Amino acid sequence: MAKRFEDDWKPQTRLVHGGTLRSPFGETSEALFLTQGFVYETAEAAEARFKGEEPGFIYSRYANPTVDMFEQRMCALEGAEDARATSSGMAAVAAALLCSLKAGDHVVSARALFGSCRWIIDTLMPRYGIETTLVDGTDLKAWEGAVRRNTKLFFLESPTNPTLEVCDIAGIAGLADSIGARVVVDNVFATPLLQKPLELGAHVVVYSATKHIDGQGRCLGGIVLSDKAWIDENLHDYFRHTGPSLSPFNAWTLLKGLETLPVRVRQQMESAARVADYLAEHPKIARVIYPGRPDHPQADLVKRQMKGGSTLVCLDLKGGKQAAFAFSNALRIIRISNNLGDAKSLITHPATTTHKNLSEEARAEAGIHQGTLRLSLGLEDTGDLIADLDQALSKV
Ligand SMILES: *Cc1c(COP(=O)(O)O)cnc(C)c1O
């Protein structure tokens, strides 16, 4: 890949300036190209553009200047050669998984997944003749044991939703390379700032941009990033002809979100670390899982693989569902909602919402109990948040 001048910039600089395409008006803020199509000066120009002989935009399902800026800024941040932005995080996951697979292929996936990701692996793929095996993602031996002669792809999320387990991305990528398979990492919980899957050897990274990248609860979006050869060979045609494209309006919103991402993630992570320490000492809490704490089950791996903990905390209340509901209902600042990475602090009861479709047994395997809650820290004052948690716990 040719070196771009952006390559020398630190992430914060890339997030403000990376990928900017200025129109002839020289606008400071990125332009919103809310257009479905583009006009050609001549019929010959249209022919040349369709043939790929001349650069330029054709149709916003394929590419759009505002969407392009978002893709390029994400590439600059992630250190990826190429990317395709999608209408939602799930469109990104579905595209990244399905674009390169065919009937007869085998996929190994970590068991602890976002509910819709799990549906693609468990229900959708087998319907099209793709074999799948679920493993304990934190156990490298389990990945190795699941490999078959037709294994083509490994899929994982790290840290996982909602229990914040961490998988050894470099170890899994090494195993994949040894059998010629690809590793796709859903990096939503880590954000592009705290973990770099491509540097760790993964081949493809996907995001729900709905989460920290927008970070203000305004719109849905997603993105798939990889090397140019993989995108050209697998994603390019799939993307053009199945149409999961991101709206230019949402791309513009997400571009503006990227400018403030490091400031927001830093503040949310500091709050999460302080809240995790507070909760860990509370007598009504059975367990706190936070990737920045020394009692995290994969604390050493967190240190090796991540630049920081998380903006989320997972907690188990003593007293099961009744206690979890009473606690959630008593909160005044922290709201009950299933988004994460938002400016507003949000709490979710996974067993009855995001993970309700799993059997009780599958939930237990994933470490999700009736007293489990997932807390996403927002941008409020940390002291106010701890006071809110404290008064709500006193009512349980
Ligand atoms: C939210 C989320 C998704 C899906 O993203 P949407 O933008 O809601 O479609 C996928 N993976 C993880 C880990 C998520 O948190």
Side-chain angles (χ1 to χ4, degrees):
M1 175 175 57
K3 195 169 157 68
R4 300 167 294 208
F5 64 92
E6 295 170 359
D7 295 345
D8 291 330
W9 294 347
K10 297 283 184 298
Q12 258 156 293
T13 313
R14 292 179 191 202
L15 284 169
V16 178
H17 295 286
T20 301
L21 287 171
R22 287 213 164 81
S23 83
F25 299 112
E27 62 283 347
T28 312
S29 176
E30 294 73 8
L32 169 50
F33 292 94
L34 203 51
T35 181
Q36 152 273 111
F38 304 85
V39 294
Y40 314 97
E41 285 301 320
T42 61
E44 287 79 6
E47 182 184 29
R49 211 172 285 182
F50 269 79
K51 275 190 179 161
E53 288 167 356
E54 253 182 29
F57 295 94
I58 294 175
Y59 190 56
S60 285
R61 170 151 42 79
Y62 297 0
N64 168 284
T66 309
V67 178
D68 229 44
M69 284 191 263
F70 172 61
E71 290 171 347
Q72 289 312 311
R73 194 166 286 182
M74 282 297 298
C75 284
L77 174 63
E78 197 71 39
E81 285 177 356
D82 206 359
R84 291 289 182 277
T86 55
S87 55
S88 69
M90 283 323 302
V93 172
L97 295 180
L98 296 174
C99 72
S100 67
L101 293 170
K102 58 180 188 315
D105 288 344
H106 176 237
V107 173
V108 184
S109 170
R111 192 184 288 138
L113 291 179
F114 184 74
S116 299
C117 299
R118 175 100 181 221
W119 182 85
I120 292 179
I121 303 277
D122 271 354
T123 308
L124 188 65
M125 284 186 169
R127 208 185 273 172
Y128 292 95
I130 299 164
E131 300 166 24
T132 64
T133 306
L134 292 171
V135 297
D136 172 358
T138 63
D139 180 2
L140 201 52
K141 287 264 176 315
W143 289 91
E144 210 174 330
V147 167
R148 299 180 190 165
R149 58 166 178 78
N150 54 340
T151 303
K152 295 286 162 58
L153 192 140
F154 291 166
F155 179 57
L156 65 100
E157 196 181 301
S158 184
T160 62
N161 176 29
T163 54
L164 309 176
E165 287 177 352
V166 176
C167 306
D168 180 354
I169 296 174
I172 295 161
L175 176 63
D177 284 336
S178 74
I179 59 160
R182 297 281 176 165
V183 179
V184 178
V185 175
D186 180 336
N187 206 39
V188 166
F189 273 58
T191 81
L193 296 166
L194 304 182
Q195 179 170 274
K196 293 262 187 274
L198 298 177
E199 282 175 15
L200 293 163
H203 306 93
V204 182
V205 185
V206 297
Y207 287 100
S208 163
T210 314
K211 311 298 165 53
H212 303 80
I213 293 173
D214 171 40
Q216 287 146 88
R218 300 168 295 191
C219 67
L220 297 178
I223 192 161
V224 185
L225 303 112
S226 186
D227 58 82
K228 192 168 179 322
W230 185 87
I231 298 230
D232 283 349
E233 192 181 317
N234 298 289
L235 194 56
H236 183 79
D237 287 346
Y238 177 97
F239 184 89
R240 284 188 164 206
H241 305 306
T242 64
S245 352
L246 179 64
S247 123
F249 186 88
N250 288 359
W252 181 84
T253 309
L254 296 169
L255 259 171
K256 303 315 282 179
L258 283 177
E259 293 182 339
T260 57
L261 182 69
V263 186
R264 289 185 283 108
V265 168
R266 197 182 313 126
Q267 166 70 25
Q268 290 169 333
M269 205 170 68
E270 275 171 28
S271 264
R274 275 181 60 195
V275 162
D277 289 344
Y278 160 77
L279 292 171
E281 297 300 318
H282 200 285
K284 289 182 183 168
I285 305 286
R287 179 181 68 146
V288 169
I289 311 173
Y290 181 67
R293 277 177 60 86
D295 60 0
H296 185 276
Q298 292 94 33
D300 290 343
L301 181 58
V302 170
K303 273 208 191 104
R304 251 189 295 142
Q305 177 168 296
M306 301 183 68
K307 293 192 181 73
S310 173
T311 65
L312 292 107
V313 178
C314 181
L315 56 137
D316 260 336
L317 238 74
K318 292 176 186 166
K321 179 177 169 183
Q322 205 187 350
F325 274 32
F327 170 65
S328 304
N329 290 340
L331 290 163
R332 292 180 191 138
I333 298 172
I334 300 164
R335 306 316 302 155
I336 302 169
S337 181
N338 41 288
N339 192 19
L340 60 99
D342 198 288
K344 295 177 170 60
S345 291
L346 303 172
I347 198 156
T348 312
H349 184 249
T352 53
T353 61
T354 53
H355 291 70
K356 75 166 179 25
N357 290 338
L358 291 185
S359 66
E360 193 71 39
E361 192 192 358
R363 269 201 298 273
E365 256 178 7
I368 303 164
H369 311 295
Q370 289 297 333
T372 304
L373 290 164
R374 185 193 78 190
L375 174 59
S376 168
L377 279 305
L379 297 175
E380 304 93 338
D381 177 81
T382 313
D384 284 350
L385 292 174
I386 291 176
D388 193 29
L389 294 164
D390 202 59
Q391 65 80 23
L393 280 167
S394 74
K395 300 201 171 100
V396 175

PDB file of all heavy atoms in Angstrom, residues 88-91 93 114 117 157 161 186 188-189 208-211 220-221 340, ligand 1:
ATOM      1  N   SER A  88     -26.111  -0.446   8.911  1.00  0.00           N
ATOM      2  CA  SER A  88     -26.179  -0.776  10.343  1.00  0.00           C
ATOM      3  C   SER A  88     -24.996  -1.681  10.664  1.00  0.00           C
ATOM      4  O   SER A  88     -24.320  -2.188   9.759  1.00  0.00           O
ATOM      5  CB  SER A  88     -27.491  -1.511  10.666  1.00  0.00           C
ATOM      6  OG  SER A  88     -27.482  -2.806  10.092  1.00  0.00           O
ATOM      7  N   GLY A  89     -24.780  -1.900  11.936  1.00  0.00           N
ATOM      8  CA  GLY A  89     -23.723  -2.828  12.342  1.00  0.00           C
ATOM      9  C   GLY A  89     -24.018  -4.232  11.866  1.00  0.00           C
ATOM     10  O   GLY A  89     -23.125  -4.959  11.419  1.00  0.00           O
ATOM     11  N   MET A  90     -25.293  -4.641  11.921  1.00  0.00           N
ATOM     12  CA  MET A  90     -25.622  -5.997  11.486  1.00  0.00           C
ATOM     13  C   MET A  90     -25.422  -6.175   9.981  1.00  0.00           C
ATOM     14  O   MET A  90     -25.042  -7.259   9.539  1.00  0.00           O
ATOM     15  CB  MET A  90     -27.060  -6.365  11.886  1.00  0.00           C
ATOM     16  CG  MET A  90     -27.210  -6.730  13.357  1.00  0.00           C
ATOM     17  SD  MET A  90     -25.823  -7.671  14.073  1.00  0.00           S
ATOM     18  CE  MET A  90     -25.749  -9.122  13.034  1.00  0.00           C
ATOM     19  N   ALA A  91     -25.680  -5.120   9.186  1.00  0.00           N
ATOM     20  CA  ALA A  91     -25.407  -5.225   7.749  1.00  0.00           C
ATOM     21  C   ALA A  91     -23.911  -5.445   7.534  1.00  0.00           C
ATOM     22  O   ALA A  91     -23.505  -6.190   6.637  1.00  0.00           O
ATOM     23  CB  ALA A  91     -25.872  -3.966   7.026  1.00  0.00           C
ATOM     24  N   VAL A  93     -21.770  -6.937   9.749  1.00  0.00           N
ATOM     25  CA  VAL A  93     -21.428  -8.304  10.180  1.00  0.00           C
ATOM     26  C   VAL A  93     -21.885  -9.302   9.118  1.00  0.00           C
ATOM     27  O   VAL A  93     -21.120 -10.185   8.705  1.00  0.00           O
ATOM     28  CB  VAL A  93     -22.078  -8.641  11.550  1.00  0.00           C
ATOM     29  CG1 VAL A  93     -21.882 -10.104  11.896  1.00  0.00           C
ATOM     30  CG2 VAL A  93     -21.506  -7.754  12.653  1.00  0.00           C
ATOM     31  N   PHE A 114     -23.120 -10.991  20.317  1.00  0.00           N
ATOM     32  CA  PHE A 114     -24.302 -10.144  20.214  1.00  0.00           C
ATOM     33  C   PHE A 114     -25.431 -11.020  19.627  1.00  0.00           C
ATOM     34  O   PHE A 114     -25.172 -11.822  18.725  1.00  0.00           O
ATOM     35  CB  PHE A 114     -23.951  -8.988  19.275  1.00  0.00           C
ATOM     36  CG  PHE A 114     -25.007  -7.953  19.123  1.00  0.00           C
ATOM     37  CD1 PHE A 114     -25.255  -7.051  20.140  1.00  0.00           C
ATOM     38  CD2 PHE A 114     -25.748  -7.864  17.958  1.00  0.00           C
ATOM     39  CE1 PHE A 114     -26.223  -6.071  19.984  1.00  0.00           C
ATOM     40  CE2 PHE A 114     -26.713  -6.893  17.792  1.00  0.00           C
ATOM     41  CZ  PHE A 114     -26.962  -5.996  18.814  1.00  0.00           C
ATOM     42  N   CYS A 117     -25.805 -11.481  15.832  1.00  0.00           N
ATOM     43  CA  CYS A 117     -24.635 -12.171  15.255  1.00  0.00           C
ATOM     44  C   CYS A 117     -24.803 -13.666  15.480  1.00  0.00           C
ATOM     45  O   CYS A 117     -24.543 -14.489  14.598  1.00  0.00           O
ATOM     46  CB  CYS A 117     -23.339 -11.702  15.892  1.00  0.00           C
ATOM     47  SG  CYS A 117     -23.007  -9.940  15.670  1.00  0.00           S
ATOM     48  N   GLU A 157     -16.018 -11.703  18.885  1.00  0.00           N
ATOM     49  CA  GLU A 157     -16.272 -10.378  19.415  1.00  0.00           C
ATOM     50  C   GLU A 157     -15.401 -10.303  20.666  1.00  0.00           C
ATOM     51  O   GLU A 157     -15.383 -11.266  21.438  1.00  0.00           O
ATOM     52  CB  GLU A 157     -17.750 -10.415  19.803  1.00  0.00           C
ATOM     53  CG  GLU A 157     -18.469  -9.182  20.054  1.00  0.00           C
ATOM     54  CD  GLU A 157     -19.923  -9.549  20.436  1.00  0.00           C
ATOM     55  OE1 GLU A 157     -20.636 -10.194  19.654  1.00  0.00           O
ATOM     56  OE2 GLU A 157     -20.294  -9.201  21.555  1.00  0.00           O
ATOM     57  N   ASN A 161     -20.179  -9.190  24.531  1.00  0.00           N
ATOM     58  CA  ASN A 161     -21.400  -8.592  25.043  1.00  0.00           C
ATOM     59  C   ASN A 161     -22.230  -9.676  25.719  1.00  0.00           C
ATOM     60  O   ASN A 161     -22.533 -10.653  25.075  1.00  0.00           O
ATOM     61  CB  ASN A 161     -22.177  -8.006  23.852  1.00  0.00           C
ATOM     62  CG  ASN A 161     -23.511  -7.448  24.238  1.00  0.00           C
ATOM     63  OD1 ASN A 161     -23.715  -7.000  25.343  1.00  0.00           O
ATOM     64  ND2 ASN A 161     -24.451  -7.497  23.318  1.00  0.00           N
ATOM     65  N   ASP A 186     -15.467  -8.568  15.442  1.00  0.00           N
ATOM     66  CA  ASP A 186     -16.441  -7.521  15.752  1.00  0.00           C
ATOM     67  C   ASP A 186     -15.835  -6.726  16.915  1.00  0.00           C
ATOM     68  O   ASP A 186     -15.781  -7.199  18.047  1.00  0.00           O
ATOM     69  CB  ASP A 186     -17.773  -8.182  16.135  1.00  0.00           C
ATOM     70  CG  ASP A 186     -18.867  -7.184  16.487  1.00  0.00           C
ATOM     71  OD1 ASP A 186     -18.543  -6.044  16.872  1.00  0.00           O
ATOM     72  OD2 ASP A 186     -20.055  -7.551  16.400  1.00  0.00           O
ATOM     73  N   VAL A 188     -16.657  -3.794  18.291  1.00  0.00           N
ATOM     74  CA  VAL A 188     -17.520  -2.733  18.825  1.00  0.00           C
ATOM     75  C   VAL A 188     -17.198  -2.380  20.276  1.00  0.00           C
ATOM     76  O   VAL A 188     -17.053  -1.204  20.622  1.00  0.00           O
ATOM     77  CB  VAL A 188     -19.010  -3.137  18.710  1.00  0.00           C
ATOM     78  CG1 VAL A 188     -19.886  -2.218  19.552  1.00  0.00           C
ATOM     79  CG2 VAL A 188     -19.456  -3.086  17.267  1.00  0.00           C
ATOM     80  N   PHE A 189     -17.066  -3.394  21.123  1.00  0.00           N
ATOM     81  CA  PHE A 189     -16.898  -3.105  22.552  1.00  0.00           C
ATOM     82  C   PHE A 189     -15.556  -2.455  22.853  1.00  0.00           C
ATOM     83  O   PHE A 189     -15.433  -1.707  23.822  1.00  0.00           O
ATOM     84  CB  PHE A 189     -17.117  -4.373  23.388  1.00  0.00           C
ATOM     85  CG  PHE A 189     -18.559  -4.589  23.734  1.00  0.00           C
ATOM     86  CD1 PHE A 189     -19.512  -4.707  22.730  1.00  0.00           C
ATOM     87  CD2 PHE A 189     -18.985  -4.610  25.047  1.00  0.00           C
ATOM     88  CE1 PHE A 189     -20.854  -4.861  23.011  1.00  0.00           C
ATOM     89  CE2 PHE A 189     -20.330  -4.775  25.358  1.00  0.00           C
ATOM     90  CZ  PHE A 189     -21.269  -4.902  24.342  1.00  0.00           C
ATOM     91  N   SER A 208     -20.302  -1.770  14.544  1.00  0.00           N
ATOM     92  CA  SER A 208     -21.568  -1.081  14.559  1.00  0.00           C
ATOM     93  C   SER A 208     -21.192   0.353  14.902  1.00  0.00           C
ATOM     94  O   SER A 208     -20.794   0.643  16.034  1.00  0.00           O
ATOM     95  CB  SER A 208     -22.482  -1.666  15.638  1.00  0.00           C
ATOM     96  OG  SER A 208     -23.517  -0.737  15.896  1.00  0.00           O
ATOM     97  N   ALA A 209     -21.297   1.266  13.931  1.00  0.00           N
ATOM     98  CA  ALA A 209     -20.966   2.675  14.166  1.00  0.00           C
ATOM     99  C   ALA A 209     -22.061   3.360  14.988  1.00  0.00           C
ATOM    100  O   ALA A 209     -21.898   4.483  15.456  1.00  0.00           O
ATOM    101  CB  ALA A 209     -20.766   3.396  12.843  1.00  0.00           C
ATOM    102  N   THR A 210     -23.178   2.646  15.145  1.00  0.00           N
ATOM    103  CA  THR A 210     -24.290   3.093  15.980  1.00  0.00           C
ATOM    104  C   THR A 210     -23.831   3.352  17.417  1.00  0.00           C
ATOM    105  O   THR A 210     -24.426   4.165  18.118  1.00  0.00           O
ATOM    106  CB  THR A 210     -25.354   1.958  16.010  1.00  0.00           C
ATOM    107  OG1 THR A 210     -25.557   1.481  14.686  1.00  0.00           O
ATOM    108  CG2 THR A 210     -26.654   2.407  16.624  1.00  0.00           C
ATOM    109  N   LYS A 211     -22.799   2.644  17.830  1.00  0.00           N
ATOM    110  CA  LYS A 211     -22.362   2.678  19.222  1.00  0.00           C
ATOM    111  C   LYS A 211     -21.416   3.864  19.438  1.00  0.00           C
ATOM    112  O   LYS A 211     -21.819   4.982  19.216  1.00  0.00           O
ATOM    113  CB  LYS A 211     -21.729   1.333  19.588  1.00  0.00           C
ATOM    114  CG  LYS A 211     -22.599   0.121  19.189  1.00  0.00           C
ATOM    115  CD  LYS A 211     -23.945   0.103  19.906  1.00  0.00           C
ATOM    116  CE  LYS A 211     -24.948  -0.862  19.286  1.00  0.00           C
ATOM    117  NZ  LYS A 211     -24.499  -2.229  19.122  1.00  0.00           N
ATOM    118  N   LEU A 220     -28.075   4.812  12.966  1.00  0.00           N
ATOM    119  CA  LEU A 220     -27.474   3.492  12.780  1.00  0.00           C
ATOM    120  C   LEU A 220     -26.399   3.578  11.709  1.00  0.00           C
ATOM    121  O   LEU A 220     -26.484   4.400  10.794  1.00  0.00           O
ATOM    122  CB  LEU A 220     -28.514   2.480  12.306  1.00  0.00           C
ATOM    123  CG  LEU A 220     -29.699   2.154  13.211  1.00  0.00           C
ATOM    124  CD1 LEU A 220     -30.613   1.172  12.492  1.00  0.00           C
ATOM    125  CD2 LEU A 220     -29.238   1.560  14.530  1.00  0.00           C
ATOM    126  N   GLY A 221     -25.420   2.719  11.807  1.00  0.00           N
ATOM    127  CA  GLY A 221     -24.400   2.630  10.763  1.00  0.00           C
ATOM    128  C   GLY A 221     -23.446   1.514  11.090  1.00  0.00           C
ATOM    129  O   GLY A 221     -23.429   0.999  12.217  1.00  0.00           O
ATOM    130  N   LEU A 340     -25.329   1.387  23.511  1.00  0.00           N
ATOM    131  CA  LEU A 340     -24.110   1.491  24.319  1.00  0.00           C
ATOM    132  C   LEU A 340     -23.156   2.459  23.635  1.00  0.00           C
ATOM    133  O   LEU A 340     -23.317   2.782  22.467  1.00  0.00           O
ATOM    134  CB  LEU A 340     -23.468   0.102  24.510  1.00  0.00           C
ATOM    135  CG  LEU A 340     -23.040  -0.667  23.264  1.00  0.00           C
ATOM    136  CD1 LEU A 340     -21.554  -0.512  23.011  1.00  0.00           C
ATOM    137  CD2 LEU A 340     -23.359  -2.138  23.428  1.00  0.00           C
TER     138      LEU A 340
HETATM  139  C1  LIG B   1     -24.887  -3.265  18.359  1.00  0.00           C
HETATM  140  C2  LIG B   1     -23.977  -4.342  17.953  1.00  0.00           C
HETATM  141  C3  LIG B   1     -24.089  -4.930  16.688  1.00  0.00           C
HETATM  142  C4  LIG B   1     -25.173  -4.545  15.712  1.00  0.00           C
HETATM  143  O1  LIG B   1     -25.128  -3.226  15.334  1.00  0.00           O
HETATM  144  P1  LIG B   1     -26.400  -2.381  14.814  1.00  0.00           P
HETATM  145  O2  LIG B   1     -25.823  -1.084  14.409  1.00  0.00           O
HETATM  146  O3  LIG B   1     -27.364  -2.310  15.950  1.00  0.00           O
HETATM  147  O4  LIG B   1     -26.973  -3.156  13.667  1.00  0.00           O
HETATM  148  C5  LIG B   1     -23.199  -5.927  16.364  1.00  0.00           C
HETATM  149  N1  LIG B   1     -22.235  -6.328  17.216  1.00  0.00           N
HETATM  150  C6  LIG B   1     -22.107  -5.780  18.448  1.00  0.00           C
HETATM  151  C7  LIG B   1     -21.027  -6.269  19.347  1.00  0.00           C
HETATM  152  C8  LIG B   1     -22.959  -4.768  18.846  1.00  0.00           C
HETATM  153  O5  LIG B   1     -22.835  -4.233  20.063  1.00  0.00           O
END
